[in-house]
Amino acid sequence: LGGQKKIYIDSAYDYLCFDDLLTPEQIAFRKSVREFAEREIAPRINEHYEKAAFPEYMLGPLRESGLIRKFAEKPYGEGADIVMLSLMVMELARVDASALTFISGQITLINKTLELFGSEEQKKRYIDKISRSEIIGGWALTESKVGSDASNLQTTVTKVPGGYRLNGNKRWIGNGNRELLIVWARDIETKKVGAFIVHGNAEGVTANVIKHKLSLRPVQNADIHFNNVFIPEEDKLPKATGFNATNEILRHSRVIVPWGALGMCIGAYDTTVKYLSERKQFGTPLTSFQLVQEKLARMMGTIQAMLMYSWRVTKLYEQNKASIGQIAMNKAWVTQRGREVVALARELMGGNGILLENFAMKAMADMEAVYTYEGTYDINALVAGRELTGIPAFKVPSKQT
């Protein structure tokens, strides 16, 4: 700023000089994502939030940006690393968590599953189209009666000549009403869980978007019913040979989810400190009051801890050193603390804090979904607890005789 001192710290992102830990390429990419989000997503996303409508308008700019393709493995994309992915997630969530959820889902769930467990033919057929948003995919694991106990899947496939017959139900599937689904189902004969490519327009597939949702409203979560759906043999992912494959995808995506919660908190702080600095009460800026400063300091401190915690776990994962307990504990802690940060932002803006245009109330609602998906706080805490104690505590112990 030409040597001119800033009046106040206007962003929570770099208070502890986090950019010093990044390469010039990573810094430039982070800034480009912020510019993209502010230019292409921010101006119209709130109207779609109010209508609970998917933001189709962003697909063209998203395609041109190459954001999804950047993270597809070579030769289908650039194969950018997980640090780049984390920075993208953070910057998108700083503007809108629903847009982030859609974009990151295509990268970390759909394309990642195809990359790890698909055949070369399946990769060639789908990854490029997904990366260009010509096909939008949903990742179908959760069921109406199977949430946290994800390994107990009830959706089944039966081997038949030329392929499989799929029967069952899935719930809360983002983009479940679109062109493509990756469905996790149990083989009736082998009892093993596998992954299958299912087309949304296939005979026997019925998808209904869940209405009256108050979190991540533009995300089109669906209830899906499969009635004797035929899946050709070539649409079975050959390397997904058990629930360990599912866990591998969740392990990767759970490294990323805390960065979304972090981005929402940065967005909440940035919006709030600007609002408070410009608004006066009792003849003085709101930022001059002690209680306001205490809450801002609490928000900033928590955000820096979230950032450094997520950074460390991400680097451990990049080095193939992160344990499932470390990953789970980070997801649990960051989303738990995120709830406090966005609530403080809402509180600091008073009555205006509930307006959609002021971000905080939307972030409060969206944080509830992030706190819950990819494993609830309690489940992730228990995953960490199992690693800390050596004792699994997910189920009520059977009575001893």
Side-chain angles (χ1 to χ4, degrees), residues 248-270:
E248 181 60 26
I249 297 297
L250 293 174
R251 180 171 174 265
H252 177 264
S253 62
R254 281 178 184 160
V255 174
I256 299 303
V257 169
W259 289 89
L262 169 64
M264 293 161 65
C265 291
I266 292 173
Y269 179 93
D270 294 0

Side-chain angles (χ1 to χ4, degrees), residues 153-317:
L153 293 181
Q154 304 299 302
T155 299
T156 62
V157 290
T158 304
K159 190 73 179 74
V160 296
Y164 298 84
R165 289 288 178 183
L166 172 69
N167 287 280
N169 299 276
K170 295 292 182 178
R171 182 165 172 81
W172 289 115
I173 309 307
N175 310 310
N177 61 333
R178 300 298 292 231
E179 295 85 5
L180 187 78
L181 297 167
I182 292 180
V183 179
W184 296 87
R186 188 178 304 280
D187 189 305
I188 284 182
E189 184 178 343
T190 67
K191 309 303 181 186
K192 289 186 176 181
V193 171
F196 302 84
I197 297 168
V198 178
H199 297 273
N201 61 358
E203 185 177 353
V205 177
T206 305
N208 294 300
V209 173
I210 297 171
K211 303 293 185 182
H212 314 302
K213 183 164 61 85
L214 297 178
S215 183
L216 299 177
R217 286 173 57 77
V219 177
Q220 303 299 289
N221 296 94
D223 279 326
I224 309 174
H225 179 65
F226 304 107
N227 182 23
N228 217 27
V229 178
F230 178 70
I231 304 173
E233 185 71 45
E234 62 264 26
D235 285 342
K236 183 183 190 298
L237 273 63
K239 300 176 186 177
T241 57
F243 197 74
N244 284 341
T246 321
N247 276 333
E248 181 60 26
I249 297 297
L250 293 174
R251 180 171 174 265
H252 177 264
S253 62
R254 281 178 184 160
V255 174
I256 299 303
V257 169
W259 289 89
L262 169 64
M264 293 161 65
C265 291
I266 292 173
Y269 179 93
D270 294 0
T271 302
T272 303
V273 75
K274 182 176 185 295
Y275 173 90
L276 296 173
S277 298
E278 295 174 351
R279 182 173 172 83
K280 291 184 177 181
Q281 291 292 290
F282 305 104
T284 186
L286 285 173
T287 47
S288 67
F289 292 94
Q290 289 181 346
L291 289 176
V292 168
Q293 292 189 9
E294 187 279 332
K295 289 181 174 68
L296 286 173
R298 200 184 334 161
M299 290 171 69
M300 179 66 87
T302 301
I303 289 169
Q304 300 313 302
M306 293 166 71
L307 179 57
M308 295 304 171
Y309 195 168
S310 299
W311 164 255
R312 181 57 183 153
V313 171
T314 301
K315 294 299 288 184
L316 287 173
Y317 181 86

Side-chain angles (χ1 to χ4, degrees), residues 37-38 41-42 44-46 48-49 53 55 57-58 88-103 216-219 260 263-264 267 356 359 362-363 366:
E38 291 180 344
I41 297 174
R44 296 176 59 188
I45 193 63
N46 283 350
H48 288 75
Y49 197 95
Y57 73 90
M58 76 176 184
M88 182 203 75
V89 166
M90 177 186 70
E91 290 294 350
L92 291 175
R94 177 181 171 272
V95 166
D96 185 72
S98 296
L100 157 69
T101 298
F102 165 69
I103 295 170
L216 299 177
R217 286 173 57 77
V219 177
M264 293 161 65
L356 189 55
F359 190 82
K362 179 176 75 168
D366 289 348

